[in-house]
Coordinates of all heavy atoms in Angstrom, one line a residue:
M1 N 0.8 -1.2 0.0 CA 0.0 0.0 0.0 C 0.9 1.2 0.0 O 1.9 1.3 0.7 CB -0.9 0.0 1.2 CG -2.0 1.0 1.2 SD -3.3 0.4 2.2 CE -4.1 1.9 2.4
I2 N 0.5 2.3 -0.7 CA 1.3 3.5 -0.9 C 0.9 4.4 0.3 O -0.2 4.7 0.6 CB 1.0 4.2 -2.2 CG1 1.4 3.3 -3.3 CG2 1.6 5.5 -2.3 CD1 1.0 3.8 -4.7
D3 N 2.0 5.0 0.9 CA 1.8 5.9 2.0 C 1.7 7.3 1.4 O 2.5 7.8 0.7 CB 3.1 5.9 2.9 CG 2.9 6.8 4.1 OD1 1.8 7.3 4.4 OD2 3.9 7.0 4.8
V4 N 0.5 7.9 1.5 CA 0.2 9.2 0.9 C 1.0 10.3 1.5 O 1.4 11.2 0.7 CB -1.3 9.5 1.2 CG1 -1.7 10.9 0.6 CG2 -2.2 8.5 0.5
R5 N 1.4 10.2 2.7 CA 2.3 11.2 3.3 C 3.6 11.3 2.6 O 4.3 12.4 2.4 CB 2.4 11.0 4.8 CG 1.2 11.4 5.6 CD 1.3 11.0 7.0 NE 1.2 9.6 7.1 CZ 1.4 8.8 8.1 NH1 1.8 9.4 9.2 NH2 1.3 7.5 8.1
S6 N 4.2 10.2 2.3 CA 5.5 10.2 1.6 C 5.4 10.8 0.2 O 6.4 11.4 -0.2 CB 6.1 8.8 1.6 OG 5.3 7.9 0.8
I7 N 4.3 10.5 -0.4 CA 4.2 11.1 -1.8 C 4.0 12.6 -1.7 O 4.5 13.4 -2.5 CB 3.0 10.5 -2.5 CG1 3.3 9.0 -2.8 CG2 2.7 11.2 -3.8 CD1 2.2 8.2 -3.4
A8 N 3.2 13.1 -0.7 CA 2.9 14.5 -0.6 C 4.1 15.3 -0.2 O 4.2 16.5 -0.4 CB 1.8 14.7 0.5
S9 N 5.2 14.6 0.4 CA 6.3 15.4 0.9 C 7.3 15.6 -0.2 O 8.3 16.2 -0.1 CB 7.0 14.6 2.1 OG 7.5 13.3 1.7
L10 N 7.1 14.9 -1.4 CA 8.0 15.1 -2.5 C 7.9 16.5 -3.0 O 6.8 17.0 -3.1 CB 7.7 14.1 -3.6 CG 8.0 12.6 -3.3 CD1 7.6 11.8 -4.4 CD2 9.5 12.4 -3.0
R11 N 9.0 17.1 -3.4 CA 8.9 18.4 -4.0 C 9.2 18.3 -5.5 O 10.1 17.5 -5.9 CB 9.9 19.3 -3.4 CG 9.6 19.6 -1.9 CD 10.5 20.6 -1.4 NE 10.2 20.7 0.0 CZ 10.6 21.8 0.7 NH1 11.3 22.7 0.2 NH2 10.2 21.9 1.9
V12 N 8.5 19.0 -6.2 CA 8.7 19.0 -7.7 C 9.5 20.3 -8.1 O 9.1 21.4 -7.8 CB 7.3 19.0 -8.5 CG1 7.6 19.0 -9.9 CG2 6.6 17.8 -8.0
A13 N 10.6 20.1 -8.8 CA 11.3 21.3 -9.2 C 10.7 21.8 -10.5 O 10.4 21.1 -11.4 CB 12.8 20.8 -9.5
V14 N 10.4 23.1 -10.4 CA 9.8 23.7 -11.5 C 10.9 24.6 -12.2 O 11.4 25.5 -11.7 CB 8.6 24.7 -11.1 CG1 8.1 25.4 -12.2 CG2 7.6 23.9 -10.4
A15 N 11.2 24.2 -13.4 CA 12.2 24.9 -14.2 C 11.5 26.0 -15.0 O 10.4 25.7 -15.7 CB 12.9 24.0 -15.1
S16 N 11.9 27.2 -14.9 CA 11.3 28.3 -15.7 C 11.9 28.2 -17.1 O 13.1 28.1 -17.4 CB 11.6 29.6 -15.1 OG 12.9 29.9 -15.1
T17 N 11.1 28.2 -18.1 CA 11.4 28.2 -19.5 C 11.8 29.5 -20.0 O 11.4 30.5 -19.4 CB 10.4 27.6 -20.4 OG1 9.2 28.4 -20.3 CG2 10.0 26.2 -19.8
P18 N 12.5 29.7 -21.1 CA 12.8 31.0 -21.6 C 11.5 31.8 -21.9 O 11.5 33.0 -21.8 CB 13.6 30.7 -22.9 CG 14.3 29.4 -22.6 CD 13.3 28.7 -21.8
S19 N 10.5 31.1 -22.3 CA 9.2 31.7 -22.6 C 8.7 32.4 -21.4 O 8.2 33.6 -21.4 CB 8.3 30.7 -23.2 OG 7.1 31.4 -23.5
T20 N 8.7 31.7 -20.3 CA 8.1 32.3 -19.1 C 9.0 33.4 -18.5 O 8.5 34.4 -18.0 CB 7.8 31.2 -18.0 OG1 9.1 30.6 -17.6 CG2 6.8 30.2 -18.4
Q21 N 10.3 33.3 -18.7 CA 11.2 34.3 -18.2 C 10.9 35.6 -19.0 O 10.9 36.7 -18.5 CB 12.6 33.9 -18.4 CG 13.1 32.9 -17.3 CD 14.5 32.4 -17.6 OE1 15.1 32.6 -18.7 NE2 15.1 31.8 -16.7
F22 N 10.8 35.4 -20.3 CA 10.5 36.6 -21.2 C 9.2 37.2 -20.8 O 9.1 38.5 -20.7 CB 10.5 36.2 -22.6 CG 10.0 37.3 -23.5 CD1 10.8 38.4 -23.7 CD2 8.8 37.2 -24.2 CE1 10.4 39.5 -24.5 CE2 8.3 38.3 -24.9 CZ 9.2 39.4 -25.1
K23 N 8.2 36.4 -20.6 CA 6.9 37.1 -20.2 C 6.9 37.8 -18.9 O 6.4 38.8 -18.7 CB 5.8 35.9 -20.1 CG 5.4 35.3 -21.4 CD 4.4 34.2 -21.3 CE 4.1 33.6 -22.7 NZ 3.3 32.4 -22.6
R24 N 7.7 37.2 -17.9 CA 7.9 37.8 -16.6 C 8.6 39.1 -16.8 O 8.3 40.2 -16.2 CB 8.5 37.0 -15.6 CG 7.5 36.0 -14.9 CD 8.3 35.3 -13.8 NE 9.1 34.3 -14.5 CZ 10.1 33.7 -13.9 NH1 10.4 34.0 -12.7 NH2 10.9 32.9 -14.6
R25 N 9.7 39.1 -17.5 CA 10.5 40.4 -17.8 C 9.7 41.4 -18.5 O 9.7 42.6 -18.2 CB 11.8 40.0 -18.6 CG 12.7 41.2 -18.6 CD 14.0 40.8 -19.3 NE 14.8 39.9 -18.6 CZ 15.8 40.2 -17.7 NH1 15.9 41.5 -17.4 NH2 16.5 39.3 -17.2
L26 N 8.9 41.0 -19.5 CA 8.1 41.9 -20.2 C 7.0 42.6 -19.3 O 6.8 43.8 -19.4 CB 7.4 41.2 -21.4 CG 6.5 42.1 -22.3 CD1 7.3 43.2 -23.0 CD2 5.8 41.2 -23.4
L27 N 6.4 41.8 -18.5 CA 5.4 42.3 -17.5 C 6.1 43.3 -16.6 O 5.5 44.4 -16.3 CB 4.7 41.2 -16.8 CG 3.7 41.6 -15.7 CD1 2.5 42.2 -16.4 CD2 3.3 40.4 -14.9
T28 N 7.2 42.9 -16.0 CA 7.9 43.7 -15.1 C 8.4 45.1 -15.8 O 8.2 46.2 -15.2 CB 9.2 43.1 -14.6 OG1 8.8 41.9 -13.9 CG2 9.9 43.9 -13.6
S29 N 8.9 45.0 -17.0 CA 9.3 46.2 -17.8 C 8.1 47.2 -18.0 O 8.2 48.3 -17.8 CB 10.0 45.8 -19.1 OG 11.2 45.1 -18.8
S30 N 7.0 46.5 -18.4 CA 5.8 47.4 -18.7 C 5.3 48.0 -17.4 O 4.9 49.2 -17.5 CB 4.8 46.4 -19.3 OG 5.2 45.9 -20.6
L31 N 5.3 47.2 -16.4 CA 4.8 47.8 -15.1 C 5.6 48.9 -14.7 O 5.1 50.0 -14.3 CB 4.7 46.7 -14.0 CG 4.3 47.0 -12.7 CD1 2.8 47.4 -12.8 CD2 4.5 46.0 -11.7
F32 N 6.9 48.8 -14.7 CA 7.8 49.9 -14.2 C 7.7 51.1 -15.1 O 7.8 52.2 -14.7 CB 9.3 49.4 -14.1 CG 9.6 48.8 -12.8 CD1 9.6 47.4 -12.6 CD2 9.8 49.5 -11.7 CE1 9.8 46.8 -11.4 CE2 10.1 49.0 -10.4 CZ 10.1 47.6 -10.4
T33 N 7.6 50.8 -16.4 CA 7.5 52.0 -17.4 C 6.2 52.7 -17.1 O 6.2 54.0 -17.0 CB 7.5 51.4 -18.8 OG1 8.7 50.7 -19.1 CG2 7.3 52.6 -19.8
G34 N 5.1 52.1 -16.8 CA 3.8 52.7 -16.6 C 3.9 53.5 -15.3 O 3.4 54.6 -15.2
L35 N 4.5 52.9 -14.2 CA 4.6 53.5 -13.0 C 5.5 54.8 -13.0 O 5.1 55.8 -12.4 CB 5.2 52.6 -11.8 CG 4.2 51.5 -11.4 CD1 4.9 50.5 -10.5 CD2 3.0 52.0 -10.8
D36 N 6.6 54.7 -13.7 CA 7.5 55.8 -13.9 C 6.8 56.9 -14.7 O 6.9 58.1 -14.3 CB 8.8 55.4 -14.6 CG 9.7 54.6 -13.6 OD1 9.4 54.6 -12.4 OD2 10.6 54.0 -14.1
A37 N 6.1 56.6 -15.7 CA 5.4 57.6 -16.5 C 4.3 58.3 -15.7 O 4.2 59.5 -15.7 CB 4.8 57.0 -17.7
A38 N 3.6 57.5 -15.0 CA 2.5 58.1 -14.0 C 3.1 59.0 -13.0 O 2.6 60.1 -12.8 CB 1.7 56.9 -13.4
A39 N 4.3 58.6 -12.4 CA 4.9 59.4 -11.4 C 5.3 60.8 -12.0 O 5.2 61.8 -11.4 CB 6.1 58.7 -10.8
L40 N 5.9 60.7 -13.3 CA 6.4 61.9 -13.9 C 5.2 62.9 -14.2 O 5.3 64.1 -14.1 CB 7.2 61.7 -15.2 CG 8.6 61.2 -14.9 CD1 9.3 60.8 -16.3 CD2 9.4 62.2 -14.2
Q41 N 4.1 62.3 -14.6 CA 2.9 63.1 -15.0 C 2.3 63.7 -13.8 O 1.7 64.8 -13.8 CB 1.9 62.3 -15.8 CG 2.3 62.0 -17.2 CD 1.2 61.2 -17.9 OE1 0.4 60.6 -17.4 NE2 1.4 61.2 -19.3
I42 N 2.3 63.0 -12.7 CA 1.6 63.4 -11.4 C 2.5 64.4 -10.7 O 2.1 65.4 -10.3 CB 1.1 62.3 -10.6 CG1 0.1 61.4 -11.3 CG2 0.7 62.7 -9.2 CD1 -0.3 60.1 -10.6
V43 N 3.8 64.0 -10.5 CA 4.6 64.8 -9.6 C 5.4 65.8 -10.4 O 5.8 66.8 -9.9 CB 5.6 63.8 -8.8 CG1 6.5 64.6 -8.0 CG2 4.8 62.8 -8.0
G44 N 5.7 65.5 -11.7 CA 6.6 66.3 -12.5 C 6.2 67.9 -12.5 O 7.0 68.8 -12.3
P45 N 4.9 68.2 -12.8 CA 4.5 69.6 -12.8 C 4.8 70.3 -11.5 O 5.2 71.5 -11.5 CB 3.0 69.6 -13.2 CG 2.9 68.3 -13.9 CD 3.8 67.3 -13.3
S46 N 4.5 69.7 -10.4 CA 4.6 70.3 -9.1 C 6.1 70.5 -8.8 O 6.5 71.6 -8.4 CB 4.1 69.3 -8.0 OG 2.7 69.2 -8.2
I47 N 6.9 69.6 -9.1 CA 8.4 69.7 -8.9 C 8.9 70.8 -9.9 O 9.8 71.6 -9.5 CB 9.1 68.4 -9.1 CG1 8.8 67.5 -8.0 CG2 10.6 68.6 -9.2 CD1 9.4 66.1 -8.1
Y48 N 8.4 70.9 -11.1 CA 8.9 71.9 -12.0 C 8.6 73.3 -11.4 O 9.4 74.2 -11.5 CB 8.2 71.7 -13.3 CG 8.7 72.7 -14.4 CD1 9.9 72.6 -15.0 CD2 7.9 73.8 -14.7 CE1 10.3 73.6 -15.9 CE2 8.3 74.8 -15.6 CZ 9.5 74.6 -16.2 OH 9.9 75.6 -17.1
R49 N 7.4 73.5 -10.9 CA 7.0 74.8 -10.3 C 7.9 75.1 -9.1 O 8.3 76.2 -9.0 CB 5.5 74.7 -9.9 CG 4.6 75.3 -11.0 CD 3.2 75.4 -10.5 NE 2.5 74.2 -11.0 CZ 2.0 73.3 -10.2 NH1 1.9 73.4 -8.9 NH2 1.3 72.2 -10.7
V50 N 8.1 74.2 -8.3 CA 8.9 74.4 -7.0 C 10.3 74.6 -7.4 O 11.0 75.5 -6.8 CB 8.7 73.2 -6.0 CG1 9.7 73.3 -4.9 CG2 7.3 73.1 -5.5
A51 N 10.9 73.9 -8.3 CA 12.2 73.9 -8.7 C 12.6 75.1 -9.6 O 13.8 75.4 -9.9 CB 12.7 72.6 -9.3
S52 N 11.6 75.8 -10.1 CA 11.9 76.9 -11.1 C 12.7 78.0 -10.4 O 13.3 78.7 -11.2 CB 10.6 77.4 -11.6 OG 9.8 78.0 -10.6
N53 N 12.7 78.1 -9.1 CA 13.5 79.1 -8.5 C 14.9 78.7 -8.1 O 15.7 79.5 -7.8 CB 12.8 79.6 -7.2 CG 11.4 80.2 -7.5 OD1 11.2 80.7 -8.5 ND2 10.5 80.0 -6.5
S54 N 15.2 77.4 -8.2 CA 16.5 76.9 -7.7 C 17.2 76.1 -8.8 O 16.6 75.0 -9.2 CB 16.3 76.1 -6.5 OG 17.5 75.4 -6.1
A55 N 18.3 76.5 -9.2 CA 19.1 75.7 -10.2 C 19.5 74.4 -9.7 O 19.6 73.3 -10.4 CB 20.2 76.5 -10.8
A56 N 19.8 74.3 -8.4 CA 20.2 73.0 -7.8 C 19.2 72.1 -7.8 O 19.4 70.8 -8.1 CB 20.8 73.3 -6.4
M57 N 17.9 72.5 -7.5 CA 16.8 71.6 -7.5 C 16.4 71.1 -8.9 O 16.1 69.9 -9.1 CB 15.6 72.2 -6.8 CG 15.7 72.3 -5.3 SD 14.2 73.0 -4.6 CE 13.1 71.7 -4.8
Q58 N 16.6 72.0 -9.9 CA 16.4 71.6 -11.2 C 17.4 70.6 -11.7 O 17.0 69.6 -12.3 CB 16.4 72.8 -12.2 CG 15.3 73.7 -12.1 CD 15.4 74.9 -13.0 OE1 16.6 75.2 -13.4 NE2 14.3 75.6 -13.2
A59 N 18.6 70.8 -11.3 CA 19.8 69.8 -11.6 C 19.5 68.5 -10.9 O 19.7 67.4 -11.6 CB 21.1 70.4 -11.3
G60 N 19.1 68.5 -9.7 CA 18.8 67.3 -8.9 C 17.6 66.5 -9.6 O 17.7 65.3 -9.7
F61 N 16.6 67.2 -10.0 CA 15.4 66.5 -10.6 C 15.9 65.9 -11.9 O 15.5 64.8 -12.3 CB 14.3 67.5 -10.7 CG 13.1 66.9 -11.3 CD1 12.4 65.9 -10.6 CD2 12.6 67.2 -12.5 CE1 11.2 65.3 -11.1 CE2 11.4 66.7 -13.1 CZ 10.8 65.7 -12.4
A62 N 16.7 66.7 -12.7 CA 17.2 66.2 -14.0 C 18.0 64.9 -13.8 O 17.8 64.0 -14.6 CB 17.9 67.3 -14.7
V63 N 18.8 64.9 -12.8 CA 19.7 63.7 -12.6 C 18.8 62.5 -12.2 O 19.0 61.3 -12.7 CB 20.7 64.0 -11.5 CG1 21.3 62.7 -11.0 CG2 21.8 65.0 -11.9
L64 N 17.8 62.8 -11.4 CA 16.8 61.6 -11.0 C 16.1 61.1 -12.3 O 16.0 59.9 -12.4 CB 15.8 62.1 -9.9 CG 16.4 62.4 -8.6 CD1 15.4 62.9 -7.6 CD2 16.9 61.1 -8.0
V65 N 15.6 62.0 -13.1 CA 14.9 61.6 -14.3 C 15.8 60.9 -15.3 O 15.4 59.9 -15.8 CB 14.2 62.9 -15.0 CG1 13.7 62.5 -16.4 CG2 13.1 63.4 -14.1
L66 N 17.0 61.4 -15.4 CA 18.0 60.7 -16.3 C 18.4 59.3 -15.8 O 18.5 58.3 -16.5 CB 19.3 61.5 -16.5 CG 19.1 62.7 -17.3 CD1 20.4 63.6 -17.4 CD2 18.7 62.4 -18.7
G67 N 18.5 59.2 -14.4 CA 18.7 57.9 -13.8 C 17.6 56.9 -14.0 O 17.7 55.7 -14.4
M68 N 16.3 57.4 -14.0 CA 15.2 56.6 -14.2 C 15.1 56.2 -15.6 O 14.8 55.0 -15.9 CB 13.9 57.4 -13.9 CG 12.6 56.6 -14.1 SD 11.2 57.7 -14.2 CE 11.4 58.5 -15.6
L69 N 15.4 57.1 -16.5 CA 15.4 56.7 -18.0 C 16.5 55.7 -18.3 O 16.3 54.8 -19.1 CB 15.5 58.0 -18.8 CG 14.3 58.9 -18.8 CD1 14.6 60.2 -19.6 CD2 13.1 58.2 -19.3
A70 N 17.6 55.8 -17.7 CA 18.7 54.9 -17.9 C 18.3 53.5 -17.4 O 18.6 52.4 -18.0 CB 20.1 55.3 -17.3
S71 N 17.7 53.5 -16.2 CA 17.3 52.2 -15.6 C 16.2 51.5 -16.5 O 16.2 50.3 -16.8 CB 16.7 52.5 -14.3 OG 16.1 51.3 -13.7
L72 N 15.2 52.4 -17.0 CA 14.2 51.8 -17.9 C 14.9 51.3 -19.3 O 14.4 50.3 -19.8 CB 13.1 52.9 -18.3 CG 12.1 53.1 -17.1 CD1 11.2 54.2 -17.6 CD2 11.3 51.8 -16.8
G73 N 15.8 52.1 -19.7 CA 16.4 51.7 -21.0 C 17.2 50.3 -20.9 O 17.1 49.4 -21.7
R74 N 17.8 50.2 -19.7 CA 18.5 48.9 -19.5 C 17.5 47.8 -19.3 O 17.7 46.7 -19.9 CB 19.4 48.9 -18.2 CG 20.0 47.6 -17.9 CD 21.3 47.8 -17.1 NE 21.7 46.5 -16.5 CZ 22.3 45.5 -17.2 NH1 22.5 45.7 -18.5 NH2 22.7 44.4 -16.7
M75 N 16.4 48.0 -18.7 CA 15.4 47.0 -18.5 C 14.8 46.6 -19.8 O 14.7 45.4 -20.1 CB 14.3 47.6 -17.5 CG 13.3 46.5 -17.0 SD 12.1 47.2 -16.0 CE 13.0 48.1 -14.8
W76 N 14.5 47.5 -20.7 CA 13.9 47.2 -21.9 C 15.0 46.6 -22.9 O 14.7 45.7 -23.7 CB 13.3 48.4 -22.7 CG 12.0 48.7 -22.0 CD1 11.6 49.7 -21.2 CD2 10.8 47.9 -22.3 NE1 10.3 49.6 -21.0 CE2 9.8 48.5 -21.6 CE3 10.5 46.9 -23.1 CZ2 8.5 48.0 -21.6 CZ3 9.2 46.3 -23.1 CH2 8.2 46.9 -22.4
F77 N 16.3 46.9 -22.7 CA 17.4 46.3 -23.5 C 17.3 44.8 -23.2 O 17.4 43.9 -24.0 CB 18.7 47.0 -23.2 CG 19.9 46.2 -23.7 CD1 20.1 46.1 -25.1 CD2 20.6 45.5 -22.9 CE1 21.2 45.5 -25.6 CE2 21.7 44.7 -23.4 CZ 22.0 44.7 -24.7
L78 N 17.3 44.5 -21.9 CA 17.3 43.1 -21.4 C 16.1 42.3 -21.8 O 16.2 41.1 -22.2 CB 17.5 43.0 -19.9 CG 18.8 43.5 -19.3 CD1 18.8 43.5 -17.8 CD2 20.0 42.7 -19.9
T79 N 15.0 43.0 -21.9 CA 13.8 42.4 -22.3 C 13.8 42.0 -23.8 O 13.5 40.9 -24.2 CB 12.5 43.3 -22.1 OG1 12.5 43.6 -20.7 CG2 11.2 42.7 -22.5
I80 N 14.3 43.0 -24.6 CA 14.4 42.7 -26.1 C 15.4 41.7 -26.3 O 15.3 40.8 -27.2 CB 14.7 44.0 -26.8 CG1 13.5 44.9 -26.7 CG2 15.1 43.8 -28.2 CD1 13.7 46.4 -27.1
R81 N 16.5 41.6 -25.6 CA 17.6 40.6 -25.8 C 17.0 39.2 -25.4 O 17.2 38.3 -26.1 CB 18.7 40.9 -24.8 CG 19.9 40.0 -25.1 CD 21.0 40.2 -24.1 NE 20.5 39.7 -22.8 CZ 21.2 39.8 -21.6 NH1 22.4 40.4 -21.7 NH2 20.7 39.3 -20.5
D82 N 16.2 39.2 -24.3 CA 15.5 37.9 -24.0 C 14.6 37.5 -25.1 O 14.4 36.2 -25.4 CB 14.8 38.0 -22.7 CG 15.7 37.8 -21.5 OD1 16.9 37.5 -21.7 OD2 15.2 37.9 -20.3
C83 N 13.9 38.4 -25.8 CA 13.0 38.1 -26.8 C 13.7 37.5 -28.0 O 13.3 36.5 -28.6 CB 12.2 39.3 -27.3 SG 11.1 39.1 -28.6
N84 N 14.9 38.1 -28.3 CA 15.7 37.6 -29.4 C 16.4 36.2 -29.2 O 16.6 35.5 -30.1 CB 16.8 38.6 -29.8 CG 16.2 39.9 -30.4 OD1 15.1 39.8 -31.0 ND2 16.8 41.0 -30.3
N85 N 16.6 35.9 -27.9 CA 17.2 34.7 -27.5 C 16.2 33.5 -27.5 O 16.6 32.4 -27.2 CB 18.0 34.8 -26.2 CG 19.2 35.6 -26.3 OD1 19.7 35.7 -27.4 ND2 19.6 36.2 -25.2
Q86 N 14.9 33.8 -27.5 CA 14.0 32.8 -27.4 C 13.9 31.8 -28.5 O 14.2 32.0 -29.6 CB 12.6 33.6 -27.3 CG 11.7 32.9 -26.3 CD 10.4 33.7 -26.2 OE1 10.0 34.5 -27.0 NE2 9.6 33.3 -25.2

């Protein structure tokens, strides 16, 4: 007779296929792009108004935006690279 408890304790290794990796990366890239775009549209005008009096604040905001764009660019580069490797 088979012991059900011993069968239930077995673990199954789930290997992620390149297709699922690409789908997850695409979803993540799209989500981050949408969130960043929404943040810029919501917060951007307020920061522009506040920073218009200070060159240091404008430079700081520009550095943050450029960092965000560089991060998004790298994320999309990796996503497209995974698509081509599929």
Side-chain angles (χ1 to χ4, degrees):
M1 190 154 162
I2 298 175
D3 186 10
V4 177
R5 286 174 285 171
S6 65
I7 293 173
S9 66
L10 293 176
R11 294 185 181 198
V12 177
V14 177
S16 61
T17 62
S19 177
T20 59
Q21 286 177 343
F22 171 71
K23 288 177 185 175
R24 277 187 287 162
R25 189 178 291 272
L26 181 63
L27 178 66
T28 303
S29 297
S30 301
L31 180 67
F32 274 99
T33 301
L35 289 174
D36 287 345
L40 282 178
Q41 286 183 344
I42 293 169
V43 179
S46 299
I47 290 180
Y48 181 76
R49 265 185 264 119
V50 170
S52 63
N53 299 332
S54 170
M57 287 183 73
Q58 287 177 343
F61 184 65
V63 167
L64 289 174
V65 169
L66 290 174
M68 180 197 68
L69 292 175
S71 174
L72 283 176
R74 175 159 170 71
M75 191 182 307
W76 279 105
F77 169 76
L78 294 173
T79 301
I80 292 168
R81 187 186 69 184
D82 278 358
C83 177
N84 291 335
N85 290 336
Q86 218 177 15

